[in-house]
Amino acid sequence: MSSYIKCIKKYAQFNGRATRREFWGFALINAAVIFILMLIQARFQTGTAHVIFTYLLGGYILFTLTPSLSAMSRRWHDLGRTGWWVLLNLIVGAGSIVSLCYFLCRGDEGKNFYGRDPRVKKHIKR
């Protein structure tokens, strides 16, 4: 849950790096909330409740769009690639599979072009 809140707080921070834990914590909770809202919406086929949950689902997706893009961008940075690789997801199917494979990999160790290693708690200045 802390990863989810951390990504929401960094909603427009496209610089820096995100660990696998931070990214996947956010992504899995986000997917679970969307899935639950979709189940509730499907339960009500017609009427006011269906409309309310349709708007609630759409609003939640719009609310988490920017945090999702920024988390993906920071995850690409942790892998040593530019955040523009987020656009790979526009390729239906194949782009998401390639992103998934990369996002499961461990990020660069040590400092890279996009910042310090987020897994290292204490940094020694030399």
Side-chain angles (χ1 to χ4, degrees):
M1 189 67 167
S2 64
S3 298
Y4 181 82
I5 293 169
K6 187 176 183 180
C7 282
I8 294 295
K9 285 181 180 179
K10 294 179 169 184
Y11 75 96
Q13 183 179 346
F14 288 85
N15 57 350
R17 294 168 63 174
T19 62
R20 281 185 295 190
R21 178 180 293 226
E22 179 184 340
F23 174 77
W24 284 110
F26 174 75
L28 293 175
I29 291 173
N30 193 32
V33 170
I34 289 172
F35 182 72
I36 290 168
L37 287 173
M38 288 174 69
L39 283 178
I40 295 170
Q41 179 201 22
R43 170 69 175 94
F44 301 104
Q45 294 295 320
T46 59
T48 307
H50 179 75
V51 172
I52 289 171
F53 281 104
T54 300
Y55 283 122
L56 191 61
L57 176 63
Y60 179 77
I61 290 171
L62 285 175
F63 172 73
T64 58
L65 179 64
T66 304
S68 297
L69 292 173
S70 69
M72 281 191 281
S73 177
R74 290 192 314 272
R75 184 69 193 126
W76 281 115
H77 289 170
D78 191 43
L79 295 165
R81 289 169 171 75
T82 179
W84 287 103
W85 277 64
V86 169
L87 297 177
L88 184 66
N89 291 315
L90 293 176
I91 302 170
V92 178
S96 298
I97 292 170
V98 170
S99 291
L100 173 67
C101 292
Y102 274 111
F103 289 165
L104 290 173
C105 296
R106 184 180 176 100
D108 291 349
E109 290 188 21
K111 188 175 180 179
N112 72 8
F113 181 75
Y114 300 101
R116 64 178 182 81
D117 189 348
R119 291 176 296 279
V120 177
K121 298 295 181 196
K122 188 174 182 179
H123 296 278
I124 300 171
K125 293 183 180 179
R126 293 183 187 211

